[in-house]
Every structure is written in C-alpha cells, then in structure tokens.
Amino acid sequence: MPSPLSLDLAYISDLVSEADIASLAPQVGDALKSLLNKTGRGSDYLGWINLPLDAEKQVGAIKKAAKPFSSCESVVSVGIGGSYLGIKATIEALGGSDKIHYAGHHLSPTYFQNLLKQLNPKKTGIVVISKSGTTTEPAVAFRVLKTWVEKAVGKKKARGRIVAVTDESKGALKGMADAEGYKTFVIPDDVGGRYSVLTPVGLLPIAIAGYDISKLLKGAQAAAKDTQSSNLTENLSARYAAARFLLNQKGKTTEVLANFKPELHYVSEWWKQLYGESEGKEGKGLFPASVDLTTDLHSMGQYLQEGKRNLMETILWVKKEDRDIVVPRDKDDREGLNFLSGKKLSWVNEQAMKGTAAAHRDGGLPVIRLTLDEISEYNLGYLYYFFEMACGISGTLLGINPFDQPGVEAYKKNMFALLGKKGFEKLTAELKAKGIS
Ligand code: PA5
C-alpha cells in the first residue's frame, strides 16, 4: 500500500537546502541505526519500535475485554499524559464517542462534579491507566470514581466493570488490581508513557469506543517498514527529523504544529507531549506549540506572520474529507459570497491552507508541509509511528536521551511536600522557609 503521508519541504528552502539535508544524512543514518540496533541513549525504552507487530498478539484479548463495556452507558478512561493523550487524540480524530469520558488528567473539582452529574453510576465502567501506578491525578480520580460506582452497584458488580492498565509487577495500581481482582493489561517496561498509544493504554479505550484497533496497528506496521531506510528521500520520517534539526540550528527554537481541522486538536496535544518530553532537556530541543487553523489565525495569526522569527511551522493537512458541505447560492447575495456558491467547504479550507503557508513563508516563517490522505484508523497509526520515529531520531541528533523525563519529577516532589505526603517532611520545611506553604 502506498504511504498515506507526504512531506513537502519547498517552503523551508530559503533556510535549509537539499544540499544541507544531504550533508546531514550520515548523522541521521547513524541516529536511525542506533535506534534500530538499540545502541544509543535510552536504549532500554525502545519497545515502541516493534510495538505495531508485538501488540497484534494482544488484539483478540483487548477486543474481548472491550465487549462487556458495551452494556455500559458510559466508560471513564482515567489517566494523564501518555496514559490519556493518545486515547483522546485517536477517538476525537475519528469522530468522537458519546460513551467515553475522561478523568484523572487534571485536578479540577468543577470538572469532576460536572462529570459525575452527567453519568449514571449504575451504568458506568472504568478503565484506569497508569504505567507507574502512582501518579496522583489518576489515583485520586480513580478513588473517587470507584467509590461512586461501588456505592451504586456494590463492590462485586463494580469489580466486573473495572479494568486496570498498568505495570506488570510494580506500583500501587497493580497491587490494588490484584487485591480487588480487576482484569488487567500490561504496559511493557520498555515503552515510555508518551510512546504507549499502541499498547493496551490506547488500544483498550479506542476499542471500547468502537474503532478498529487492528487497522490502527496495520497503519503503524506500514510506517515501521517505511522508516527503516537511511535514504532521506525514501524515509520521510528521517527527512522530517533532519529538516527540523537543521531549522533548529538556524535559530528556530519553537515548532508550531498547525492543523486545519479541529478534530486534530488532540493529535497536536499528543505530538506536543511526545516532542516536549523527549527533546526538552539539557537546555536543548524545539519548544512544541500548536494552533488550530483557521480558528487561531484570528488570534495567533498576527504573531505567526510578524512576531519574533524564532518559529518554524509544520502544517498537518488532511487531503480528503469524509463528509463535505457545499456553499449555497443566495439570490440577494448581500455578503457578496456568491463567488463561492457551489464550492465545497473542503476546497475553501484548502485555499486557506495554501494562502496561509505562502504568507507565512513570505513573512519569514519556514513551513514544513505534511499531508495525510484522510483520517482513518490506518492513517492515524501510520502518523503516530512516523512522528515517534522522527522524535527518536531528533533526540538522538541532539545528543540527549529521548526516552526519559527526569524533569517531570520536580513539580511532583514539591506537590507531595505541600500535600504532606510521608517522606517529604524535609522538603516541606524547605518550601516553608521560602514562603511556600
Ligand atoms: O510520558 C510519560 O511517561 C508521562 O507523561 C506519563 O505518561 C504521565 O506522567 C502519566 O504517568 P503514569 O502512566 O505512570 O500515570
């Protein structure tokens, strides 16, 4: 099957030429090899490379576990970061779900109250997802939800409606699942949270939402094949990594991912976590930002066009729309819009995208263009793997470990100290001395 994704670097050629990319090819090839041969930094976390094939073995069990949830009116997917974003990204991009709700991705009591008001505890299931099994946000949310469901239907019945996705042996969630007798799925040790959308983390909720996880994996398998080559005209993932690395070297410190479909908003959020947590260390890395266009052209458009020129933009365009709308004719034509009558909205959107890309390029904002044929499970699987491989290569080119996230611990320690958790007494006192209590 031909690749559903294409890459256009014409609008960065003022800054990065084909010759520049060609001269980086040996380094990119080495980075790719170090990932595939597991010889680089963070090589303990390369389980995602073979995941599209490895995960296939679990598809039957995941689909089986998803089935009982069809009797639930709603299912709450509890998780944060890598245990949330890939699920939300996929479900929203594919058309959403009335059944799936989310909790544990922040600590807002208002959101939680509204959620509980909306759902019927007698008809609600829970998928609780935490690789470490110790993250505060999902742990608190799960305790609230579990208590709420148990109160309505009893402990025994509730047990049958809870599935935990967590570490094979470690963490509080694993211990609780074993003690309570919940069905569990394992997040492999060698797959980090932000690379886990193709593990049961993503696959179970996506299957419960009614989308085809086999096709998602098939798309990722195709991308895995297409991203093995060191040839930068064949391997578009490596080519994208090279282009953004060279732009970074030319002083571009922020990459803005721009979509033209709000359904892709959470794909951008997933992408931001992937690149932010992977590259942002040792004072390095492009800051990943995102905009939803054309909406944000009316808020962020001015900055993109004329603000500080430390930005690069990656447009994620989707060629084919599932459903379209034709602009109607109006006999009075008071708003002077009849020049568009009979035109499809997708065509209007496409002209907006082309006009925006050209204006940005002319305004000194280099634009990389990624075009996906259409939104489907297969193509999303392809896109995720494409970005994951490019991210691994990018981090390796920067010389950092793309697979750890030491920086996320700092806020957690302070939060535990302020919450009065046992073992954090010294830090509580230190914070108090700084006037933080
Ligand atoms: O990428 C990561 O590892 C993190 O962002 C995690 O996904 C996030 O902190 C949630 O962690 P956990 O799944 O352990 O609850």
Side-chain angles (χ1 to χ4, degrees), residues 80-83 129-135 138 187 192-195 273 277 405 408 412:
I80 194 166
S83 299
I129 308 162
S130 178
K131 181 169 157 64
S132 63
T134 54
T135 309
I187 309 174
R194 58 192 174 275
Y195 290 84
Q273 187 201 359
E277 272 188 356
Q405 55 283 328
V408 302
K412 284 187 194 167

Side-chain angles (χ1 to χ4, degrees), residues 76-81 83-84 102-107 112 126-148 150 162 164-166 171-177 180 182 411-412 415-416 419 421:
V76 186
S77 180
V78 181
I80 194 166
S83 299
Y84 160 63
Y102 302 89
H105 53 305
H106 51 63
L107 293 163
F112 223 133
I126 306 170
V127 178
V128 54
I129 308 162
S130 178
K131 181 169 157 64
S132 63
T134 54
T135 309
T136 308
E137 293 90 334
V140 170
F142 180 55
R143 181 175 288 197
V144 173
L145 283 162
K146 165 179 130 48
T147 311
W148 178 72
E150 281 177 355
I162 297 174
V165 184
T166 190
L173 181 56
K174 172 66 183 161
M176 194 195 294
E180 301 274 357
Y182 303 146
Y411 99 90
K412 284 187 194 167
M415 183 175 76
F416 288 146
L419 290 171
K421 191 171 177 174

